[in-house]
């Protein structure tokens, strides 16, 4: 079952709210956000989150170590298995087995009992804990082992794919540099482009690193590769052609014109939405664009603005704007419906 990161989050949330502790395997290309979505869902539901990298463990690391215990007479006795400290013993949460198919067959076999029976050795996973796992696929050229059929049959299987709308909301929530957001709005196909011949290539994870490099004034190519890096650098130079966006947001932009070149328009429209700090600034930008841009540019602006206000928990501020301008109300409602759908 293939889904976007947002749809994956909804599905995992439903497993929690419906109290369905079914072991779940999440497949997808590297850098698409599988681990981030799981951690986010756990936080949203107030659950503990334990991230276990099976590929970095030996069987005894999961099962524990045997420790001899003498009987009351001090003679003979038995050995007991002492489980590792990272396995939960109480509370409610998500036990996340990341890189599960990068673990060798012996390790996957050890995890099989934990996934099926919720126990391994003398350890038993408490009620209220979900067992979810993630891994890359063979076609992603990842160094993975075949998952044994008995283990695979114990999982629900979900596949997550890259999705720009989900990344846009994430980027706005995390405050990623607006240049990155504007570029990917203009060139969404560059969000994820696996290149197995190169060590660096674009992915949502790589773009987050690139945003940090760019904010520090450093070249982004080490994160996203030379091709995407060159395109991004050329796009950033277009920002020198932008009108004064702060003037637009203040409502003092009577003499300013929206640039005609499409890539610069993308930069201006997304930049306005990303920089709007409140509903009034958002309305000023909409009014300026409405006088100069066609409906598709207004739709892009409003969709980005709604994503931004949703991400920072201020969507309610836009309600007042909907009463001032019917066209804006229609676009806002459409963007909200699309985000919730």
């Amino acid at each position: 079952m293939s889904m976007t990161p947002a749809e994956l989050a909804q599905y995992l949330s439903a497993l929690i709210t419906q109290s369905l502790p079914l072991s779940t395997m999440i497949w997808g290309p590297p850098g698409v956000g599988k681990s981030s979505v799981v951690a986010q869902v756990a936080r949203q539901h107030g659950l503990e989150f334990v991230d276990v990298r099976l590929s970095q463990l030996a069987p005894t690391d999961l099962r524990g170590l045997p420790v001899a215990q003498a009987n009351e007479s001090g003679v003979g006795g038995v050995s007991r298995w002492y489980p590792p400290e990272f396995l939960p013993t109480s509370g409610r949460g998500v036990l996340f087995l990341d890189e599960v198919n990068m673990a060798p067959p012996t390790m996957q076999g050890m995890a099989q009992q934990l996934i099926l029976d919720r126990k391994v050795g003398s350890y038993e996973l408490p009620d209220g804990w979900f067992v979810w796992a993630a891994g890359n696929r063979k076609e992603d050229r990842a160094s993975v082992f075949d998952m044994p059929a008995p283990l695979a049959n114990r999982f629900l299987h979900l596949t997550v794919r890259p999705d720009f709308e989900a990344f846009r909301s994430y980027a706005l929530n995390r405050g990623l540099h607006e240049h990155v957001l504007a570029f990917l709005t203009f060139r969404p196909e560059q969000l994820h482009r696996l290149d197995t011949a190169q060590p660096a290539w674009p992915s949502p994870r790589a773009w987050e690193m690139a945003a940090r490099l760019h904010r520090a004034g450093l070249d982004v190519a080490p994160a996203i590769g030379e091709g995407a890096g060159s395109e991004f650098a050329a796009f950033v130079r277009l920002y020198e052609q932008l009108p004064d966006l702060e003037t637009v947001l203040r409502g003092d932009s009577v003499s300013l014109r929206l640039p005609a070149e499409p890539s610069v328009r993308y930069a201006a429209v997304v930049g306005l939405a990303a920089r709007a700090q409140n509903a009034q600034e958002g309305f000023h930008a909409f009014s300026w664009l409405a006088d100069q841009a066609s409906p598709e540019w207004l739709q892009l602006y409003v969709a980005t603005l709604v994503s931004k206000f949703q991400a920072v928990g201020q969507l309610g501020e836009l309600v007042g704007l909907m009463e001032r301008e019917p066209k804006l109300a229609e676009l806002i409602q459409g963007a909200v419906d699309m985000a919730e759908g």
Side-chain angles (χ1 to χ4, degrees), residues 70-75:
N71 59 26
E72 294 180 357
S73 65
V75 179

Side-chain angles (χ1 to χ4, degrees), residues 53-64 106-107 110:
R53 305 297 171 107
L54 285 181
S55 60
Q56 300 175 11
L57 300 180
T60 52
D61 294 331
L62 188 62
R63 185 175 183 180
T106 53
M107 195 64 223
M110 183 62 64

Side-chain angles (χ1 to χ4, degrees), residues 16-290:
I16 294 174
T17 56
Q18 297 297 321
S19 299
L20 295 173
L22 302 173
S23 299
T24 302
M25 178 70 191
I26 304 166
W27 301 91
V32 77
K34 301 182 293 294
S35 304
S36 299
V37 169
V38 173
Q40 173 190 343
V41 169
R43 285 195 303 269
Q44 288 176 344
H45 290 270
L47 300 178
E48 296 181 53
F49 178 68
V50 176
D51 187 345
V52 178
R53 305 297 171 107
L54 285 181
S55 60
Q56 300 175 11
L57 300 180
T60 52
D61 294 331
L62 188 62
R63 185 175 183 180
L65 293 173
V67 177
Q69 285 191 337
N71 59 26
E72 294 180 357
S73 65
V75 179
V78 298
S79 58
R80 295 187 57 190
W81 290 90
Y82 277 63
E85 63 179 359
F86 58 78
L87 290 177
T89 57
S90 61
R92 299 176 66 246
V94 174
L95 178 60
F96 184 51
L97 308 178
D98 205 358
E99 301 173 353
V100 64
N101 58 336
M102 289 182 66
T106 53
M107 195 64 223
Q108 291 190 42
M110 183 62 64
Q112 181 172 315
Q113 185 184 10
L114 180 61
I115 294 164
L116 174 63
D117 301 324
R118 300 173 62 86
K119 62 174 63 176
V120 59
S122 60
Y123 170 79
E124 186 168 350
L125 187 68
D127 292 338
W129 280 81
F130 296 82
V131 180
W132 297 340
N136 301 135
R137 307 160 302 180
K138 276 192 172 183
E139 56 264 37
D140 301 318
R141 299 293 296 275
S143 299
V144 298
F145 295 91
D146 288 330
M147 180 177 287
L151 176 59
N153 195 237
R154 285 158 169 77
F155 279 120
L156 303 178
H157 293 272
L158 308 175
T159 300
V160 62
R161 64 180 184 273
D163 177 70
F164 174 69
E165 297 300 324
F167 180 79
R168 179 174 63 185
S169 297
Y170 176 81
L172 289 165
N173 185 43
R174 298 277 292 179
L176 268 62
H177 202 292
E178 70 180 65
H179 290 175
V180 169
L181 185 61
F183 174 73
L184 290 175
T185 302
F186 177 57
R187 293 275 284 140
E189 62 272 19
Q190 286 285 12
L191 175 63
H192 192 280
R193 179 167 287 184
L194 177 61
D195 184 352
T196 57
Q198 301 295 329
W201 42 269
S203 73
R205 179 168 56 204
W207 277 111
E208 185 169 8
M209 292 189 292
R212 296 173 65 183
L213 291 173
H214 184 58
R215 195 177 294 279
L218 298 174
D219 184 11
V220 302
I224 59 175
E226 293 294 337
S230 297
E231 270 199 61
F232 177 72
F235 183 85
V236 169
R237 287 193 289 271
L238 294 174
Y239 264 70
E240 298 174 359
Q241 305 177 33
L242 286 181
D244 186 349
L245 299 185
E246 300 303 326
T247 299
V248 174
L249 294 170
R250 290 195 304 267
D252 302 326
S253 55
V254 176
S255 61
L256 295 180
R257 306 304 300 171
L258 183 66
E261 206 284 321
S263 58
V264 185
R265 282 200 167 199
Y266 272 100
V269 171
V270 175
L272 286 169
R275 294 188 193 185
Q277 297 300 308
N278 52 59
Q280 187 61 48
E281 290 186 351
F283 182 75
H284 286 156
F286 175 83
S287 300
W288 182 73
L289 288 170

